[in-house]
Amino acid sequence: QVQVAESGGGSVQTGGSLRLSCVASGNTDGRRCMGWFRQVPGEKREGVAIMCTRGGSAWYADSAKGRFTVSQVNSKNTLYLQMLSLKPEDTATYYCASDPTYQPLIEGAPAYWGQGTQVTVSS
């Protein structure tokens, strides 16, 4: 079993920045992929960025490319999402997720989810 916990959400104005953090704990031995998703009430949860330990490049949604950067500290099972040039349309609940493999994350069906952290961008 793996527990996932996010932190770092908040409220900023347009053009501001935030850094989200996610820690996976529990049975985290071996290769692990983690990712960030976001959801607006009434809409489908969408992937934002995904990264796996032990090599490989990160995947970004088109909306995140050029503004968001995902990074990780493998030794601490920690995943970060640095968000720059935030826009009102980035307002959402951001969720961190974890899975031993990549494909479930790409498909939006990872094994483990965090509780979410709210990001609000005002104009």
Side-chain angles (χ1 to χ4, degrees):
Q1 194 76 356
V2 174
Q3 294 77 45
V4 179
E6 311 95 336
S7 61
S11 297
V12 297
Q13 294 186 327
T14 298
S17 61
L18 283 172
R19 188 176 81 155
L20 306 182
S21 301
C22 172
V23 177
S25 59
N27 184 15
T28 57
D29 291 341
R31 184 177 185 268
R32 178 155 302 279
C33 299
M34 298 175 70
W36 289 99
F37 296 75
R38 66 186 185 186
Q39 188 172 25
V40 176
E43 297 185 11
K44 184 180 178 181
R45 191 173 298 185
E46 63 176 7
V48 176
I50 296 168
M51 175 175 276
C52 295
T53 59
R54 302 184 181 178
S57 58
W59 172 90
Y60 291 94
D62 288 343
S63 59
K65 290 177 181 177
R67 298 187 301 126
F68 294 2
T69 302
V70 65
S71 61
Q72 61 185 349
V73 178
N74 290 338
S75 61
K76 297 183 179 181
N77 291 310
T78 301
L79 186 76
Y80 299 102
L81 183 68
Q82 179 69 55
M83 303 186 292
L84 305 176
S85 302
L86 284 162
K87 307 173 183 179
E89 50 264 45
D90 295 317
T91 295
T93 301
Y94 283 69
Y95 296 90
C96 183
S98 176
D99 195 280
T101 59
Y102 180 77
Q103 196 64 27
L105 282 155
I106 282 293
E107 295 174 352
Y112 307 103
W113 289 99
Q115 294 298 307
T117 185
Q118 179 66 34
V119 171
T120 302
V121 185
S122 58
S123 58

